[in-house]
């Protein structure tokens, strides 16, 4: 049964990010008192108390944790940045620090934003259930490797004195997204979205940010004494698996760019991505460069990866609030600056 949280205070670690800011807005709407902890400042809101600091430093965290009922930990370095040292420092060591600081401050609940990628290693996943999918034995990138460590550490910390739960979203998109839409538009403006990787029939989940927020808040309201959610991980999706390239086509054409149409062999692209990764590793002592074509991106664009969220429906009372049609419309409308400038000239 969901606990009453009217006027309960929470701390959103990573609250100045894409998901974090939407989470703050959702929590405020639900009557929570919201503190934000982040290493940077990206917005102002008179209803929120902001604490600027590094989650790797306990002395920075402790003042932000005073009187907090629940921590939402959704901080991470940018998933596609490929900075191994930073990923380990923030996602693994930093999360251990968050847990220690929570316990020292007497905080009783933590909702971790994990990732569906923790079980993904480039092989197809179709309607994957949490209890059937082990952590990836060979993660495709450092981000995934450290998200596994982060989730495992967080769930192992669960106890009757400190309830934890992990939310595994997949492919979050929506207004103010910093990755999916901007990267896709950047590729389109460089003429790199003519191509379809593979046969174009791989089925995936994309999750609207409003649904991810809803899942997080339900998780916070449900963990506690005797809850089946304590110490568990939950897939939170839009519950509408879609062909990856249909989603990309709808996003691109919705923003005035042409649809991808030339098929390229998946295995060829994957080998090219592996070669580029090897070259980047060889030259890394001299120069750091991150190839735009990575094995992870190629695998995500060319294989099935969609997940079952029945457990979240059963234990958290989750169901998507926004459909994919509504989500794509809201997202496309929120990015006038991302529209194809050539489209206006042609109209
Ligand atoms: N964007 C996506 O498609 C998905 C994201 N996720 C997870 O959702 C969470 C949020 O992701 P986004 O909002 O997309 O990322 P984001 O980069 O927009 O937000 C992350 C926030 O964490 C903060 N942060 C990073 N290092 C910090 C540190 N040392 N101390 C304090 N704050 C720090 C950043 O300043 C940023 O504001 C992450 O944990 C990510 O792994 C999971 C699945 C999909
Ligand atoms: C036309 C182009 C091939 C489009 C490229 C789109 C990509 C930039 C995105 C498609 C799937 C996205 C994705 C993530 C980042 C952006 C994409 C690769 C994540 C890796 C972000 C972090 C996570 O936790 C994963 C679950 C996401 C998986 C999907």
């Amino acid at each position: 049964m969901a606990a009453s949280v009217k006027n309960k205070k929470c701390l959103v670690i990573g609250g100045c990010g894409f998901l974090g800011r939407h989470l703050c807005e959702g929590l405020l709407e639900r009557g929570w008192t919201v503190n934000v902890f982040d290493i940077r400042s990206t917005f102002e809101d008179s209803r929120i108390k902001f604490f600027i600091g590094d989650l790797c430093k306990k002395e920075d965290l402790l003042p932000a944790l005073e009187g907090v009922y629940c921590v939402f930990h959704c901080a991470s370095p940018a998933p596609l940045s490929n900075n191994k040292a930073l990923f380990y420092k923030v996602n693994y060591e930093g999360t251990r620090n968050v847990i220690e600081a929570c316990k020292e401050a007497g905080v009783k609940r933590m909702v971790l934003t994990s990732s569906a990628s923790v079980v993904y290693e480039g092989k197809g996943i179709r309607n994957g259930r949490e209890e059937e999918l082990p952590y990836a034995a060979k993660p495709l990138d450092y981000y995934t490797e450290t998200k596994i460590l982060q989730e495992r550490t967080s769930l192992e910390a669960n106890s009757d004195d400190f309830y934890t739960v992990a939310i595994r979203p997949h492919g979050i998109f929506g207004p103010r997204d910093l990755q999916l839409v901007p990267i896709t538009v950047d590729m389109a403006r460089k003429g790199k979205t003519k191509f379809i990787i593979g046969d174009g029939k791989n089925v995936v989940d994309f999750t609207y940010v409003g649904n991810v927020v809803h899942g997080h808040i339900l998780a916070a309201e449900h963990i506690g004494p005797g809850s089946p959610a304590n110490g568990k991980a939950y897939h939170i999706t839009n519950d509408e698996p879609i062909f990856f390239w249909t989603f990309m086509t709808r996003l691109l054409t919705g923003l005035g760019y042409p649809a991808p149409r030339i098929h390229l062999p998946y295995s060829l692209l994957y080998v090219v991505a592996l070669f580029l990764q090897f070259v980047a590793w060889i030259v890394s002592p001299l120069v750091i460069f991150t190839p735009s074509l990575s094995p992870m991106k190629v695998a995500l664009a060319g294989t099935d990866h969609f997940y079952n969220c029945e457990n979240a429906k059963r234990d958290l009372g989750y169901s998507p609030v926004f459909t994919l049609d509504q989500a794509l419309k809201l997202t496309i409308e929120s990015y006038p600056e991302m529209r194809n400038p050539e489209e206006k000239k042609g109209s």
Side-chain angles (χ1 to χ4, degrees), residues 36-289:
V36 161
F37 182 92
D38 204 301
I39 203 165
R40 61 181 183 153
S41 172
T42 60
F43 72 101
E44 293 178 0
D45 188 318
S46 58
R47 300 168 294 176
I48 295 173
K49 187 171 184 183
F50 290 88
F51 296 81
I52 301 301
D54 184 345
L55 65 85
C56 300
K57 296 176 182 169
K58 194 185 291 185
E59 64 273 18
D60 288 0
L61 276 170
L62 287 173
L65 289 166
E66 281 175 26
V68 163
Y69 174 84
C70 180
V71 161
F72 295 88
H73 177 13
C74 60
S76 166
L80 299 176
S81 62
N82 204 32
N83 183 330
K84 180 175 184 177
L86 188 62
F87 279 132
Y88 271 82
K89 176 174 176 276
V90 176
N91 285 352
Y92 181 50
E93 293 157 9
T95 297
R96 288 161 62 96
N97 189 53
V98 166
I99 292 166
E100 280 174 32
C102 283
K103 290 180 176 178
E104 196 169 311
V107 175
K108 298 288 185 198
R109 290 166 174 79
M110 182 178 82
V111 177
L112 170 75
T113 309
S114 181
S115 165
S117 67
V118 298
V119 295
Y120 179 71
E121 49 189 12
K123 301 181 190 109
I125 295 177
R126 296 164 195 81
N127 199 35
R129 296 184 65 94
E130 297 88 343
E131 64 272 19
E132 293 166 356
L133 292 167
Y135 288 125
K138 296 176 184 171
L140 293 184
D141 56 17
Y142 298 131
Y143 166 78
T144 303
E145 196 171 318
T146 57
K147 290 297 282 187
I148 292 168
L149 293 171
Q150 179 185 60
E151 179 183 297
R152 185 180 270 143
T153 301
S154 299
L155 297 183
E156 285 171 354
N158 180 66
S159 72
D160 288 344
D161 300 317
F162 184 57
Y163 301 106
T164 65
V165 63
I167 300 296
R168 293 177 179 174
H170 189 50
I172 310 176
F173 71 100
R176 305 195 297 258
D177 162 27
L178 295 172
Q179 287 178 100
L180 197 152
V181 173
I183 292 173
T184 302
V185 167
D186 182 58
M187 291 175 75
R189 289 177 173 172
K190 292 173 180 171
K192 293 182 179 178
T193 52
K194 303 187 188 71
F195 307 107
I196 293 173
I197 298 173
D199 64 5
K201 298 300 180 201
N202 55 307
V203 179
V204 304
D205 275 321
F206 284 99
T207 318
Y208 185 63
V209 64
N211 292 330
V212 180
V213 166
H214 183 50
H216 276 70
I217 295 173
L218 286 172
E221 293 175 348
H222 278 79
I223 52 175
S227 169
N230 297 341
K232 294 280 184 56
Y234 291 93
H235 296 146
I236 292 290
T237 76
N238 247 74
D239 212 15
E240 293 177 83
I242 183 174
F243 287 134
F244 178 92
W245 293 97
T246 299
F247 180 89
M248 284 300 155
T249 294
R250 290 182 61 181
L251 181 64
L252 285 163
T253 55
L255 289 167
Y257 298 96
R261 63 190 188 288
I262 304 166
H263 289 265
L264 292 177
Y266 172 80
S267 48
L268 171 66
L269 268 288
Y270 196 79
V271 167
V272 168
L274 282 175
F275 174 72
L276 291 172
Q277 187 178 59
F278 175 71
V279 170
W281 175 73
I282 285 288
V283 303
S284 59
L286 304 170
V287 63
I288 298 290
F289 91 97

